[in-house]
Amino acid sequence: MRVATVFGMSALGLALAATPVMAASDAAQRLAQDAIIVDTHIDAPGELLSHWDDLGVATPGKEFDYPRARQGGLDVAFMSIYTSPDEDAAGTAWQTANTQIDAVEAMTARHPDKFALLRSPADVEKLRKGGRVLLTLGMENGAPIGDDLKQLAAFQQRGVRYITLAHSANNRISDSSYALEKKWGGLSPFGEQVVAEMNRLGIMVDVSHLSDDAIRDVLSTTDVPVIASHSGMRHFTPGFERNISDELAKAVAAEGGVVQLVFGTGFVNPTAAANLQAYFQAEADFERENAKLVAAGKPARSKDDFEDAWKQAHPVPVTHIDAVLDQIDYAVKLIGSDHVGIGSDFDGVSGNLPVELRSVADYPNLVEGLQKRGHSDADIRKILGGNLLRVWTQVEKAAKR
């Protein structure tokens, strides 16, 4: 479960999800089909564990499936191998991660004409022939490696090509942007070893979800460019550390990296982002009050009741594609078109998405919006996937050296 799921989908949001969006222009459709689209964050694997579906056929309850991926022009989908802080604490993160990887492998084996596993950017052109959607793996939260650096090589062998070092809580590797109190002041000493080993193995370092100090530590430690796999620009959501600051976006770009911009309402809508920040404080207060009740021999309050009340008091605001286009415009002006990409967070934000970006079928709507805002087709190709493939290639070549 993602942090953004604390905001339940409103009745209006459910209605919008079922409402077809006007088709993009022919020019946008053609470019989406011709360009190589790389989305660095799709949460299908975790969804498959909670409710299995055959994503090789139309699956209306999900945001990623093969028919809509081809409709939208998606070529490379990074499947998010997500584990929670609770699984980390329980010692089950390694098992969960491997089970999710098994699910992705099973999906490709079931539909070899529709999917293929991608392990190197050099194989994109070869493997996407015949209309296949290429699946590669991004690990969201470094918890599955535990305290064992050797697990990095094991997961690299299984196809993991980036790792988000932490998620919604501090872990043994890094501080999290969401944590109200930081543990390490950035990366831990073990985290510095993790970054160095990832460089050696050719695994991209992902700084989304990290605290500002942790991102600075990553940039001072890494020998190769890094990515932010699914982040928004903090310029639009002041004080929201989960989104990347102008300073750090520039630093990522200066090292040759790329900021992959997210679509989720909680990251691109200022009201939703403020609500998400407020939720963490409210949750901490709730846990503290419950601890006092238990210490006094009184029954604890229901966490479910707390969550339900929060959702009712903080409905998700309706958001449109302009919120994402504004982020891209701003990022391109700030760090240049060579350092911007997309990481949607499809299937990871409980349907809380812009009206015109409801699923992987909707990339042409994004293309049309960028065209209308004056971005050249060459720059749009870079944003859709060229920049990410460049960084991945650099990281892979450095590892081989």
Side-chain angles (χ1 to χ4, degrees):
M1 179 181 290
R2 301 296 177 269
V3 172
T5 62
V6 298
F7 305 115
M9 198 171 181
S10 65
L12 177 58
L14 288 167
L16 288 169
T19 303
V21 176
M22 184 179 297
S25 67
D26 289 345
Q29 299 271 10
R30 286 194 300 271
L31 182 54
Q33 291 298 325
D34 187 61
I36 298 176
I37 297 181
V38 181
D39 190 325
T40 45
H41 202 85
I42 295 176
D43 281 296
E47 289 292 293
L48 290 176
L49 293 195
S50 61
H51 184 276
W52 185 87
D53 286 291
D54 184 354
L55 299 183
V57 299
T59 313
K62 300 292 197 299
E63 291 154 11
F64 169 86
D65 60 36
Y66 178 80
R68 283 178 293 171
R70 293 312 309 138
Q71 180 183 344
L74 178 62
D75 296 284
V76 179
F78 275 79
M79 298 281 99
S80 176
I81 306 303
Y82 167 72
T83 56
S84 70
D86 287 344
E87 288 168 317
D88 190 9
T92 59
W94 180 90
Q95 179 69 34
T96 299
N98 279 288
T99 303
Q100 290 183 30
I101 295 172
D102 284 349
V104 176
E105 291 179 344
M107 185 161 56
T108 60
R110 189 176 298 111
H111 296 288
D113 57 328
K114 296 177 179 178
F115 298 115
L117 294 172
L118 179 66
R119 296 178 177 272
S120 169
D123 295 331
V124 170
E125 288 294 350
K126 175 181 66 177
L127 292 178
R128 76 175 183 136
K129 289 179 179 177
R132 287 188 292 187
V133 176
L134 310 184
L135 306 180
T136 192
L137 307 177
M139 179 179 284
E140 187 177 24
N141 193 357
I145 72 170
D147 297 304
D148 185 2
L149 282 176
K150 293 179 182 178
Q151 287 298 324
L152 288 170
F155 281 115
Q156 195 272 349
Q157 286 293 312
R158 295 220 64 187
V160 171
R161 291 299 179 266
Y162 78 67
I163 297 176
T164 317
L165 300 183
H167 189 251
S168 55
N170 306 324
N171 63 13
R172 60 181 59 80
I173 298 170
S174 172
D175 287 338
S176 165
S177 62
Y178 283 132
L180 297 179
E181 296 182 6
K182 312 303 185 189
K183 181 176 182 179
W184 306 105
L187 287 182
S188 70
F190 178 65
E192 293 176 356
Q193 296 178 52
V194 168
V195 170
E197 182 68 357
M198 287 172 66
N199 285 178
R200 188 185 74 81
L201 292 168
I203 302 172
M204 291 179 284
V205 179
D206 175 22
V207 300
S208 289
H209 282 287
L210 304 192
S211 71
D212 286 358
D213 286 337
I215 296 175
R216 293 186 185 97
D217 285 350
V218 167
L219 291 171
S220 68
T221 303
T222 184
D223 292 325
V224 294
V226 304
I227 68 169
S229 70
H230 61 305
S231 289
M233 300 300 296
R234 196 181 304 168
H235 170 81
F236 297 94
T237 56
F240 188 32
E241 193 175 13
R242 167 65 179 85
N243 281 344
I244 195 165
S245 69
D246 285 7
E247 170 212 343
L248 291 172
K250 289 179 182 178
V252 167
E255 297 297 326
V258 62
V259 176
Q260 303 285 108
L261 293 172
V262 70
F263 298 171
T265 301
F267 310 113
V268 302
N269 183 294
T271 299
N275 286 344
L276 186 53
Q277 294 176 81
Y279 168 82
F280 283 105
Q281 185 62 59
E283 183 188 38
D285 293 343
F286 171 83
E287 297 293 354
R288 191 161 40 249
E289 290 299 320
N290 257 358
K292 290 179 181 178
L293 290 173
V294 172
K298 299 178 181 179
R301 292 167 53 203
S302 165
K303 184 65 178 289
D304 288 342
D305 288 348
F306 164 77
E307 299 282 2
D308 290 343
W310 180 270
K311 291 173 185 178
Q312 290 179 17
H314 301 85
V316 180
V318 175
T319 304
H320 289 274
I321 195 171
D322 283 344
V324 176
L325 294 170
D326 289 346
Q327 301 252 340
I328 295 176
D329 280 348
Y330 184 81
V332 167
K333 290 175 183 175
L334 181 72
I335 58 179
S337 60
D338 290 330
H339 303 285
V340 180
I342 57 172
S344 64
D345 217 352
F346 283 138
D347 284 318
V349 289
S350 298
N352 296 317
L353 291 155
V355 174
E356 303 85 356
L357 290 174
R358 310 301 301 182
S359 78
V360 291
D362 293 331
Y363 300 110
N365 294 335
L366 185 70
V367 173
E368 181 177 39
L370 292 172
Q371 289 175 327
K372 287 182 175 179
R373 290 188 177 210
H375 296 270
S376 70
D377 284 1
D379 281 349
I380 293 171
R381 287 176 184 272
K382 290 190 287 187
I383 293 166
L384 291 177
N387 292 332
L388 188 283
L389 292 177
R390 183 198 74 242
V391 171
W392 186 3
T393 299
Q394 287 179 257
V395 172
E396 184 182 85
K397 286 183 176 177
K400 290 179 180 178
R401 287 197 300 269

